Amino acid sequence: MIQHAWNLTPQEAVQLQKKLAEKVRVEPLDVENVRLVAGCDISFSAHASAEAPVFAGIVVLERPQLTLKERVGVRTVASFPYIPGLLSFRESPPLLEAWARLSTHPDVLIADGQGLAHPRRFGIACHLGLLLNMPSIGVAKSLLVGHHEAVPNDVGAWQPVVDRGEVVGAALRLKQNVAPIYVSVGHRVDLMSAIRLVLQCRGLTRLPEPTRQAHLYVNALRRGEIPLD
DNA sequence: GCGACAG
DNA sequence: ATCTTGTCGC
């Protein structure tokens, strides 16, 4: 099991990403046999500070009905600032804490951010997948790197996201007349498998259900509408 | 040096 | 990410 310190300087974090990026595995995933899909997200209290309270949550849905099987949340503090390209050093520790409290065992994890569509090909989806040794997929609402052609206005339509001549992800449309989402490989999956799984996690909104429900959950936690265990 | 920049 | 109500459109 891979493990490393989190109290790093931004410069050290960048070096660590370059080193860990070499360990990411891109391979087909047997999507048809995926039963439990985990979605995770973070919610911060107002005013971004170094010691801001943060709520991290994981929701586990069961395919193909996308039924909620489990959800777990934790309250802690962020110990790393938000720096584009280093998001995972801010959000992963809280998410790993929540993950450790799961009683179910998800087959795949969908992270709220990029996977390989990252300047060093190591977004938060790759980071979490590698540390948890889990198939993982990145689903982001906007692009960090790369470009793509216009995506046809049809559910399921997608266009490759290219960065420095390399296909690093896909702009995928889950709903008509709204912006597409960005799907990229995290760990132990390939792009086609990732796209297929995300499509199977489609609800009626722009974002896939795991991501959407995790978002709603952590926001409810922050507002005190739902108690922590 | 000038922009771009996940959440 | 967060601060925030109503409003236009499918």
Side-chain angles (χ1 to χ4, degrees):
Chain A
M1 172 187 180
I2 297 175
Q3 195 169 295
H4 69 259
W6 289 100
N7 57 324
L8 308 172
T9 62
Q11 295 79 356
E12 294 172 327
V14 167
Q15 289 310 121
L16 178 59
Q17 288 183 321
K18 292 179 180 175
K19 177 180 139 189
L20 296 180
E22 301 173 2
K23 298 176 180 292
V24 170
R25 302 214 309 269
V26 181
E27 59 193 32
L29 175 67
D30 185 4
V31 176
E32 304 313 312
N33 281 323
V34 168
R35 287 299 183 77
L36 301 181
V37 181
C40 58
D41 196 17
I42 294 285
S43 181
F44 293 91
S45 292
H47 301 309
S49 72
E51 291 292 289
V54 48
F55 293 85
I58 312 277
V59 299
V60 180
L61 308 186
E62 180 177 36
R63 279 201 339 125
Q65 307 308 319
L66 304 182
T67 308
L68 179 65
K69 296 299 289 185
E70 181 184 12
R71 62 182 184 184
V72 51
V74 299
R75 182 194 202 288
T76 178
V77 294
S79 57
F80 197 91
Y82 169 68
I83 299 173
L86 298 180
L87 173 68
S88 81
F89 289 88
R90 177 175 176 75
E91 303 200 343
S92 292
L95 290 173
L96 290 173
E97 256 186 65
W99 187 273
R101 295 196 186 188
L102 284 177
S103 58
T104 56
H105 295 289
D107 296 305
V108 57
L109 165 64
I110 294 183
D112 191 17
Q114 316 292 347
L116 292 179
H118 178 279
R120 289 167 292 283
R121 307 294 183 257
F122 199 70
I124 188 169
C126 300
H127 207 154
L128 289 174
L130 191 62
L131 296 186
L132 297 171
N133 189 27
M134 284 275 302
S136 63
I137 296 168
V139 169
K141 296 179 290 301
S142 63
L143 232 35
L144 174 59
V145 297
H147 299 85
H148 66 86
E149 298 295 297
V151 183
N153 192 19
D154 301 304
V155 172
W158 62 277
Q159 281 288 313
V161 169
V162 179
D163 179 46
R164 291 180 287 163
E166 188 179 350
V167 174
V168 296
L172 173 68
R173 193 182 300 285
L174 253 39
K175 181 179 166 45
Q176 294 188 315
N177 306 317
V178 296
I181 57 173
Y182 298 97
V183 177
S184 60
V185 167
H187 185 51
R188 293 175 54 181
V189 296
D190 59 21
L191 188 55
M192 290 315 297
S193 300
I195 291 173
R196 283 168 50 211
L197 180 66
V198 170
L199 277 173
Q200 293 184 17
C201 288
R202 180 174 70 88
L204 298 172
T205 61
R206 180 195 178 201
L207 298 171
E209 281 302 290
T211 296
R212 175 175 159 278
Q213 287 193 34
H215 186 72
L216 292 174
Y217 177 52
V218 294
N219 274 308
L221 289 178
R222 174 173 54 76
R223 298 170 190 168
E225 296 167 358
I226 297 178
L228 283 302
D229 308 293

